[in-house]
Amino acid sequence: MSRRVVRQSKFRHVFGQAAKADQAYEDIRVSKVTWDSSFCAVNPKFLAIIVEAGGGGAFIVLPLAKTGRVDKNYPLVTGHTAPVLDIDWCPHNDNVIASASDDTTIMVWQIPDYTPMRNITEPIITLEGHSKRVGILCWHPTARNVLLSSGSDNVIIIWNVGTGEALLSLDDMHPDIIHSVCWNSNGSLLATTCKDKTLRIIDPRKGQVVAERFAAHEGMRPMRAVFTRQGHIFTTGFTRMSQRELGLWDPNNFEEPVALQEMDTSNGVLLPFYDSDSSIIYLCGKGDSSIRYFEITDEPPFVHYLNTFSSKEPQRGMGFMPKRGLDVSKCEIARFYKLHERKCEPIVMTVPRKSDLFQDDLYPDTPGPEPALEADEWLSGQDAEPVLISLRDGYVPPKHRELRVTKPNILDARPPSGPHRSQSASDSPLMQQQHTLERLLEEIKALREQVQAQDQRITALENMLCELVDGTD
């Protein structure tokens, strides 16, 4: 009986390739802040990068097609009074991005489809609730307008961006700095890692730690954790001898790891990027010049090494494109945006196939831009899996959709007469048009009032001038 030596997998031959020079984004002053976030966020429409900025914090947002050299006067998104530490695109609206800063605030921004003439300085809403720097942001995967933030005050706050309210505050679960936070696929649980070396699984709505593991990695350096589609937790960390290590854990049995592998000796924290459709995990170390990738399966050793993409330049940060932003005609299964000191370079991961037809096995239905729940439904205890879309005909991003913030009237304590539904991006095109018209009419009215006031002022000055002239005569 012949023994199978080579493991069968359609992802065994995945290879990475850097984009050509004219497809990169040049002359971007990438932030030099010492912080272990990815500094880059990308979606099917835009690329956002945290940049150096004097007198506050800023990031740049470029349309994906705007490759090449970026003008030094290109408008930035500025509003924070201290460096920006993390940015994250809303999964349900490609024009909405959140930013977290050393100034203790979170700002949510509406990015127009056209290139603005000047810096964007006015956020849709500013969320204030942390007492120290905010370093982690993570949107809820299925509920509309729900955003998680984590600060150096060891507090996690979950916000309803549609109203500006803090829905939940988890302030007594972490005795030290939180290093990473991740939602599971339906947003019912959180996985967190902390400086106290403990990996925790939290039910945020019950405010309970449902499982925890001390010293999942024994080293003191930061640990990272992400949920896998099998419900396991994938972690990266360090051994006691400062070797980098990866682990796979079953939350129902935290005593022993499902898998634990030592990797190499390096100081850089490994940032894990997980693709649930293919169950491939990509590991990008800050300061490394390589991306290692592994396939997670149900067969021992459970975490299978696939390959390494290597380049000459070390990476300052990394953006990871959602599946709906990939080119399915070229069998792309992942695309990274690697930050150098002064540029951003796309790196494409491809499965080689001879056929030009759509590859069903590579592209199962994937989470689309429609939320499955409203914020209040999720808060009341409902859970729903992401609303999936097919990529068979490619993905066309929807046109600009406005996020409308409806702040609750704290003076009006009467209960609402009917079921509350926060106004948001799903309003009908007719309603959106009506809102735009109303806003324009208000702006015109305000401008007319300003002109009228200036006319009155000019008339008053002319009268004073006449009186002075008459007096001198």
Side-chain angles (χ1 to χ4, degrees):
M1 193 172 85
S2 64
R3 182 167 168 268
R4 195 178 76 193
V5 178
V6 179
R7 185 179 70 90
Q8 294 295 309
S9 168
K10 59 194 167 206
F11 301 114
R12 221 158 44 87
H13 301 291
V14 171
F15 70 97
Q17 196 167 22
K20 292 176 182 173
D22 62 346
Q23 293 301 304
Y25 306 82
E26 305 272 358
D27 269 7
I28 296 169
R29 294 168 58 223
V30 177
S31 174
K32 292 185 172 70
V33 173
T34 308
W35 192 254
D36 284 328
S37 73
S38 57
F39 284 13
C40 180
V42 64
N43 70 20
K45 278 185 169 183
F46 298 106
L47 169 68
I49 299 167
I50 302 174
V51 294
E52 286 285 287
F59 58 99
I60 190 169
V61 177
L62 299 166
L64 276 192
K66 193 169 176 56
T67 54
R69 194 164 164 275
V70 178
D71 191 291
K72 69 177 189 295
N73 296 319
Y74 194 89
L76 303 176
V77 182
T78 60
H80 288 288
T81 56
V84 176
L85 301 177
D86 198 15
I87 48 178
D88 196 24
W89 287 105
C90 175
H92 307 129
N93 188 334
D94 287 341
N95 292 77
V96 170
I97 189 170
S99 59
S101 169
D102 215 330
D103 67 9
T104 76
T105 68
I106 302 114
M107 293 183 177
V108 182
W109 308 83
Q110 183 97 37
I111 306 299
D113 283 336
Y114 58 85
T115 302
M117 298 299 291
R118 54 182 66 86
N119 287 353
I120 299 174
T121 57
E122 291 296 320
I124 312 168
I125 196 163
T126 301
L127 306 172
E128 296 175 320
H130 288 280
S131 58
K132 292 185 179 176
R133 64 163 60 170
V134 187
I136 298 172
L137 287 176
C138 194
W139 290 90
H140 194 283
T142 63
R144 189 196 309 279
N145 293 341
V146 175
L147 176 66
L148 175 150
S149 64
S150 165
S152 295
D153 51 6
N154 312 337
V155 175
I156 291 173
I157 301 178
I158 298 172
W159 307 85
N160 180 352
V161 173
T163 61
E165 295 172 294
L167 299 176
L168 299 164
S169 181
L170 311 175
D171 49 12
D172 55 359
M173 295 186 177
H174 300 87
D176 214 326
I177 298 289
I178 299 163
H179 285 147
S180 75
V181 185
C182 173
W183 295 98
N184 65 349
S185 63
N186 69 359
S188 59
L189 295 172
L190 297 171
T192 70
T193 61
C194 179
K195 196 176 179 181
D196 69 353
K197 299 208 292 190
T198 303
L199 167 64
R200 293 175 176 83
I201 311 300
I202 296 171
D203 184 328
R205 289 168 296 192
K206 290 181 181 172
Q208 292 177 352
V209 176
V210 295
E212 62 183 357
R213 161 76 198 212
F214 176 69
H217 299 281
E218 292 185 343
M220 287 303 297
R221 289 188 53 73
M223 187 166 47
R224 288 282 190 278
V226 292
F227 277 98
T228 71
R229 71 180 183 198
Q230 293 90 349
H232 291 162
I233 311 289
F234 181 91
T235 59
T236 64
F238 293 80
T239 65
R240 196 173 291 167
M241 304 301 291
S242 290
Q243 275 201 303
R244 293 199 290 200
E245 190 175 47
L246 58 85
L248 190 66
W249 306 84
D250 181 354
N252 299 316
N253 179 18
F254 260 152
E255 294 303 311
E256 290 294 321
V258 177
L260 199 63
Q261 294 180 23
E262 285 187 11
M263 292 180 63
D264 58 8
T265 306
S266 178
N267 287 331
V269 175
L270 284 168
L271 305 179
F273 296 94
Y274 179 65
D275 173 20
S276 59
D277 294 346
S278 60
S279 204
I280 295 178
I281 192 110
Y282 302 86
L283 301 182
C284 309
K286 270 204 161 183
D288 289 9
S289 52
S290 63
I291 301 172
R292 268 169 279 209
Y293 39 107
F294 301 78
E295 186 179 358
I296 300 173
T297 70
D298 297 327
E299 301 169 8
F302 305 106
V303 181
H304 307 270
Y305 172 75
L306 290 174
N307 211 335
T308 300
F309 167 81
S310 297
S311 56
K312 293 176 183 175
E313 298 290 324
Q315 54 229 17
R316 297 278 294 278
M318 195 69 79
F320 186 52
M321 175 67 82
K323 208 54 171 275
R324 57 198 169 91
L326 302 180
D327 186 345
V328 296
S329 67
K330 293 179 180 170
C331 295
E332 252 186 74
I333 61 160
R335 193 190 310 152
F336 290 90
Y337 287 77
K338 174 182 170 180
L339 299 186
H340 298 246
E341 198 170 333
R342 289 192 69 90
K343 76 170 183 178
C344 175
E345 173 187 45
I347 295 166
V348 175
M349 299 287 176
T350 309
V351 176
R353 291 280 166 97
K354 290 178 180 176
S355 170
D356 290 334
L357 300 174
F358 178 74
Q359 307 292 316
D360 297 82
D361 60 327
L362 297 184
Y363 301 106
D365 288 356
T366 195
E370 289 304 317
L373 293 171
E374 297 297 332
D376 47 0
E377 292 173 335
W378 176 78
L379 187 63
S380 69
Q382 291 185 44
D383 289 320
E385 293 300 320
V387 178
L388 304 180
I389 59 169
S390 169
L391 297 178
R392 178 173 288 277
D393 301 316
Y395 173 75
V396 179
K399 288 186 178 177
H400 178 88
R401 303 194 298 182
E402 192 171 343
L403 170 66
R404 295 183 63 79
V405 174
T406 313
K407 289 192 178 180
N409 183 355
I410 56 171
L411 300 175
D412 186 359
R414 289 170 301 178
S417 56
H420 172 70
R421 178 183 168 277
S422 60
Q423 277 190 308
S424 56
S426 71
D427 288 341
S428 68
L430 196 63
M431 287 290 286
Q432 287 185 7
Q433 199 173 6
Q434 190 176 338
H435 293 319
T436 308
L437 282 170
E438 285 171 4
R439 198 178 70 243
L440 287 171
L441 286 169
E442 283 170 11
E443 284 181 23
I444 291 166
K445 185 180 174 185
L447 284 168
R448 279 193 176 137
E449 285 172 358
Q450 286 175 20
V451 170
Q452 200 173 353
Q454 285 174 349
D455 284 344
Q456 288 171 356
R457 178 76 177 142
I458 289 165
T459 306
L461 288 170
E462 284 174 343
N463 291 338
M464 284 171 63
L465 189 63
C466 291
E467 286 171 9
L468 284 169
V469 171
D470 291 343
T472 52
D473 290 347

